[in-house]
Amino acid sequence: MPASTWWKHGIVYQIYPRSFQDSNGDGVGDLRGIASRLDYLADLGIDAVWISPIYPSPMADFGYDVADYCGIHPLFGTMADFDHLIAEVHRRGLKLILDFVPNHSSDQHPWFVESRSSRSNPKRDWYIWRDPKPDGSPPNNWVSNFGGSAWQFDEASGQYYYHAFLREQPDLNWRNPELREAMHDVLRFWLDKGVDGFRVDVIWHLIKDAEFRDNPPNPAWHPGRPEIESLLQVYSNDQEEVHEVIAGMRRVLDDYQDRVLIGEIYLPTERLVTYYGKDLSGAHLPFNFQLIQTAWNARAIARLVDEYEAALPAGGWPNWVLGNHDQPRIAARIGAEQARVAAMLLLTLRGTPTMYYGDEIGLARVEIPPERVQDPWEKNEPGLGFNRDPARTPMQWDGSGHAGFSTAEPWLPLAPDHAATNVAALAADPRSILSLYRQLLALRRNTRALAIGTYRAVQTDGPVFAFSRMYGSDQALVVLNLSGEQTTATLGSAWDGLRVRLSTHLDRFGEEVGSEIALRPNEGVVLG
Ligand code: GLC
């Protein structure tokens, strides 16, 4: 592989730490557990591990409510466990990315405790406090992402504070220079420990309208959709000044070698790409969630890839995500068979892929009985179908009790078929989705065209999406049947004589292909 920054040619793997591996028998995953599974990850062929928050937290939003930015929650272990983990990650040539949650802290964070203690407290302005309207109502009409008003009244000091998420997650005020400096120190704390980068939570939320104007109503909203969508988020996020804040974080990272800044951003493409920043001074990788949001058919996907490629700023490196801890799992959304095609798509497109733990064993939606619901969003807005628990269930390792995840009942249920859907069983099956992931990862690592080559759409019709990847004389042609029907793709004579390097069905290896290729239902191939 030619020299290229690790986060460009590498593959990121997201771990939801509560659900990866429990080492102390409390039914919740932890850092020692993750460390004990690093050989699996290295062997799988990923390059970097991103771990969702592990900091001290009351767990109102499962760690996205941070009470100490420079500590480790006892549930996950100790700082010594963290130091052990990072050493073990690096010993295997892997990278470690932490989740950084700067938009809000926990209401139990000492900064907020001070801030709410009085209007004149020096940390008052570290959070967003506003007077009530004359009639006592909230300062504006903004809605929390988890439903209800985004403003919480504080009786003692007579003002409201703003929370874009739970009331236990007050928003920090990034217009305050002291807060910014304190947060930069947090970044340096972890960078000094050797952390290779950060995934920054809701980075597009960091700056709000200076005047806190009302958001306009969304005419397309209807009951049954989350309340947050009832307003267009014109003033509550994606403000121009956020780019300076991100550039500030970036300067902190740039004082270190080879660290990556990834931003969580749910915005349409033309807004998303602004997060590369002026002259690429922003996020290295503004997360691209379009594969999560698109209708799953060849034309829609072909169009979105082309539009994304065209919208990227010069030098901006693309990236692709299929799932995360906030979204339904890919296998739940498009079915087990198309999930294999999706894996091939993710691992052959141009740009850094991010995998979500468990997708490689085909985990789908795990039903959560009402009495076991954990997600605060589901508790606030029940029954709308936005429970995030079904995508956060424990990793299934083997056929032993609790699937090898824990010796205790896990915090969320396992999939009912865990005796068959687990790493050990699937590793032993050469045609399993896990075997497919391994081969795709190996192929990407060993094929320059796939890792860092150019992207070009190849004209096809019907349910087929095809594209080429090129790097010098190294080339690959990817042809994906996005349907459950048998089909024939006409590729044109330019591609005559290529051979199958990988099929999602894990057969046909070496088969020579002419200007047409027959694809079985839900089959994708890489030719080269
Ligand atoms: C991000 C996280 C999500 C969390 C929210 C509030 O979207 O991914 O899990 O609930 O931010 O921090």
Side-chain angles (χ1 to χ4, degrees):
M1 195 64 59
S4 105
T5 323
W6 65 269
W7 52 263
K8 290 190 175 173
H9 63 75
I11 292 134
V12 179
Y13 182 99
Q14 181 190 355
I15 287 179
Y16 196 65
R18 298 181 70 91
S19 288
F20 201 59
Q21 178 65 56
D22 178 17
S23 75
N24 64 350
D26 62 0
V28 176
D30 47 47
L31 297 179
R32 288 264 160 197
I34 295 172
S36 74
R37 294 295 186 182
L38 290 175
D39 286 339
Y40 164 76
L41 294 174
D43 188 49
L44 186 62
I46 57 105
D47 297 87
V49 178
W50 148 36
I51 311 183
S52 284
I54 48 175
Y55 315 107
S57 161
M59 294 284 167
D61 190 19
F62 293 105
Y64 285 94
D65 47 324
V66 178
D68 172 3
Y69 285 100
C70 297
I72 301 292
H73 194 301
L75 196 59
F76 296 126
T78 62
M79 195 55 88
D81 294 332
F82 178 81
D83 293 339
H84 168 74
L85 175 66
I86 193 166
E88 289 296 306
V89 165
H90 287 160
R91 196 163 68 76
R92 289 168 177 80
L94 303 176
K95 306 284 184 183
L96 188 67
I97 298 170
L98 286 190
D99 216 308
F100 179 50
V101 192
N103 179 67
H104 42 263
S105 72
S106 161
D107 62 350
Q108 305 300 307
H109 195 294
W111 295 345
F112 188 70
V113 173
E114 273 196 54
S115 183
R116 89 184 305 171
S117 67
S118 88
R119 289 196 188 201
S120 56
N121 185 277
K123 294 217 168 45
R124 185 69 168 180
D125 188 49
W126 284 33
Y127 291 82
I128 297 173
W129 292 95
R130 288 286 174 285
D131 288 330
K133 284 190 176 160
D135 67 356
S137 62
N140 68 19
N141 71 348
W142 295 2
V143 166
S144 154
N145 281 264
F146 293 142
S149 171
W151 296 95
Q152 178 66 26
F153 190 60
D154 179 59
E155 292 285 348
S157 62
Q159 286 188 310
Y160 283 90
Y161 67 85
Y162 175 66
H163 58 91
F165 293 88
L166 298 174
R167 74 167 67 91
E168 294 88 349
Q169 294 170 295
D171 276 46
L172 286 152
N173 178 16
W174 276 83
R175 293 182 189 271
N176 181 300
E178 284 175 23
L179 178 273
R180 273 193 210 192
E181 212 24 66
M183 281 302 205
H184 288 176
D185 285 344
V186 170
L187 293 173
R188 290 187 194 103
F189 174 83
W190 294 107
L191 291 165
D192 287 340
K193 280 192 170 286
V195 160
D196 299 288
F198 299 95
R199 171 272 190 188
V200 184
D201 192 59
V202 295
I203 203 168
W204 85 110
H205 275 259
L206 293 179
I207 294 285
K208 302 63 163 117
D209 178 41
E211 296 167 44
F212 285 84
R213 283 169 279 188
D214 275 357
N215 277 325
N218 173 9
W221 181 80
H222 55 84
R225 295 296 305 168
E227 192 183 353
I228 183 68
E229 294 177 10
S230 65
L231 301 175
L232 299 170
Q233 306 297 306
V234 174
Y235 296 114
S236 42
N237 58 48
D238 192 28
Q239 304 298 298
E240 186 50 39
E241 300 101 309
V242 76
H243 297 293
E244 181 41 40
V245 169
I246 299 171
M249 288 183 192
R250 180 58 193 279
R251 285 192 290 274
V252 174
L253 267 74
D254 285 349
D255 283 343
Y256 297 75
Q257 262 198 331
D258 262 1
R259 314 295 166 106
V260 69
L261 188 67
I262 304 176
E264 185 205 21
I265 301 151
Y266 286 92
L267 286 175
T269 307
E270 69 276 10
R271 298 298 315 153
L272 172 67
V273 295
T274 65
Y275 282 75
Y276 285 97
K278 190 168 175 291
D279 303 325
L280 304 182
S281 60
H284 294 108
L285 301 174
F287 259 153
N288 166 17
F289 296 127
Q290 293 179 85
L291 291 178
I292 292 178
Q293 295 166 324
T294 180
W296 199 260
N297 66 66
R299 295 288 73 78
I301 294 175
R303 191 175 335 109
L304 83 81
V305 177
D306 281 347
E307 283 173 5
Y308 178 64
E309 281 279 344
L312 288 169
W317 187 253
N319 76 90
W320 298 95
V321 183
L322 266 187
N324 61 39
H325 64 292
D326 295 325
Q327 304 292 338
R329 283 194 179 269
I330 186 72
R333 190 155 71 84
I334 63 175
E337 290 174 324
Q338 271 296 310
R340 298 172 76 109
V341 179
M344 184 170 275
L345 176 65
L346 175 72
L347 293 170
T348 56
L349 279 171
R350 187 177 84 95
T352 309
T354 297
M355 292 171 54
Y356 184 50
Y357 86 96
D359 282 353
E360 75 273 28
I361 57 168
L363 270 185
R365 183 187 165 80
V366 178
E367 290 307 326
I368 311 295
E371 70 281 4
R372 291 194 68 175
V373 169
Q374 303 276 354
D375 182 11
W377 189 8
E378 177 65 14
K379 290 181 179 170
N380 276 2
E381 294 190 282
L384 295 186
F386 293 95
N387 186 3
R388 297 175 295 177
D389 295 335
R392 296 176 173 181
T393 62
M395 185 64 173
Q396 299 174 172
W397 295 101
D398 56 40
S400 65
H402 308 300
F405 165 71
S406 176
T407 52
E409 179 63 29
W411 74 290
L412 281 175
L414 299 162
D417 67 347
H418 63 84
T421 301
N422 64 62
V423 169
L426 298 176
D429 171 0
R431 296 275 168 90
S432 69
I433 185 162
L434 181 58
S435 299
L436 172 63
Y437 261 100
R438 281 188 203 284
Q439 295 211 25
L440 279 166
L441 287 159
L443 185 64
R444 184 176 178 104
R445 295 177 82 81
N446 298 327
T447 311
R448 271 170 296 185
L450 290 177
I452 53 171
T454 56
Y455 163 88
R456 230 170 136 157
V458 171
Q459 211 54 47
T460 47
D461 48 22
V464 174
F465 173 40
F467 55 91
S468 70
R469 304 288 316 279
M470 302 263 194
Y471 187 87
S473 59
D474 191 17
Q475 63 172 8
L477 185 66
V478 181
V479 191
L480 306 171
N481 180 358
L482 278 282
S483 80
E485 310 294 321
Q486 161 126 8
T487 189
T488 298
T490 307
L491 302 170
S493 52
W495 302 102
D496 258 7
L498 295 184
R499 287 179 187 276
V500 174
R501 295 178 66 185
L502 188 59
S503 160
T504 48
H505 292 37
L506 295 169
D507 52 12
R508 294 180 86 170
F509 180 77
E511 184 184 311
E512 194 174 321
V513 175
S515 56
E516 285 193 342
I517 179 169
L519 294 172
R520 288 164 287 177
N522 308 300
E523 183 178 24
V525 290
V526 181
L527 309 176

